[in-house]
Amino acid sequence: IIERLGESYLKCLSKAHDLDSARENYYKALQLETTNGGRAQLHKKMAEVLVKFGDVESAVDFLRQAFEANPKLKGVKKLYEKLSVNGDS
């Protein structure tokens, strides 16, 4: 049940129409997730949402957290590099 609830929050996070509801769903999901891999996925998803809302600086911080939790998580390094390059321009 807890796993399904976490998945539900993750879906809501992906579909958030505003940053406040995205953050709320992120923190709810994070409280339920106990594995590094799951936490890394949540951090990455929150970074993607932050990019969508234009908060690149915070997105980079979340990507760092995702990378620290799971350096092999697909797409984290590539997105981090893309945002870092765009942020330096």
Side-chain angles (χ1 to χ4, degrees), residues 1-10 28-35 42:
I1 293 176
I2 291 175
E3 185 176 312
R4 286 186 184 167
L5 187 57
E7 290 172 5
S8 177
Y9 286 133
L10 185 61
K28 286 179 180 178
L30 192 61
Q31 289 175 354
L32 298 173
E33 187 55 63
T34 59
T35 67
L42 281 171

Side-chain angles (χ1 to χ4, degrees), residues 58-71:
S58 294
V60 169
D61 289 337
F62 277 91
L63 286 172
R64 282 187 195 124
Q65 292 178 54
F67 187 77
E68 288 173 6
N70 181 1

Side-chain angles (χ1 to χ4, degrees), residues 9-20:
Y9 286 133
L10 185 61
K11 286 180 185 176
C12 290
L13 171 62
S14 298
K15 296 177 182 179
H17 296 290
D18 62 81
L19 199 47
D20 288 336

Side-chain angles (χ1 to χ4, degrees), residues 8 18 24-25 27 31 33 43 56 64 70 73 81 89:
S8 177
D18 62 81
E24 182 179 334
N25 286 306
Y27 288 114
Q31 289 175 354
E33 187 55 63
H43 297 319
V56 174
R64 282 187 195 124
N70 181 1
L73 182 62
E81 289 170 352
S89 301

Side-chain angles (χ1 to χ4, degrees), residues 36-83:
N36 280 346
R39 287 180 172 270
Q41 184 64 38
L42 281 171
H43 297 319
K44 179 185 173 206
K45 185 58 68 180
M46 187 62 187
E48 292 168 350
V49 170
L50 288 164
V51 168
K52 178 175 122 179
F53 288 108
D55 190 351
V56 174
E57 187 176 328
S58 294
V60 169
D61 289 337
F62 277 91
L63 286 172
R64 282 187 195 124
Q65 292 178 54
F67 187 77
E68 288 173 6
N70 181 1
K72 295 181 181 182
L73 182 62
K74 187 175 181 178
V76 171
K77 187 175 179 182
K78 186 175 183 176
L79 182 57
Y80 178 81
E81 289 170 352
K82 179 181 176 184
L83 293 177

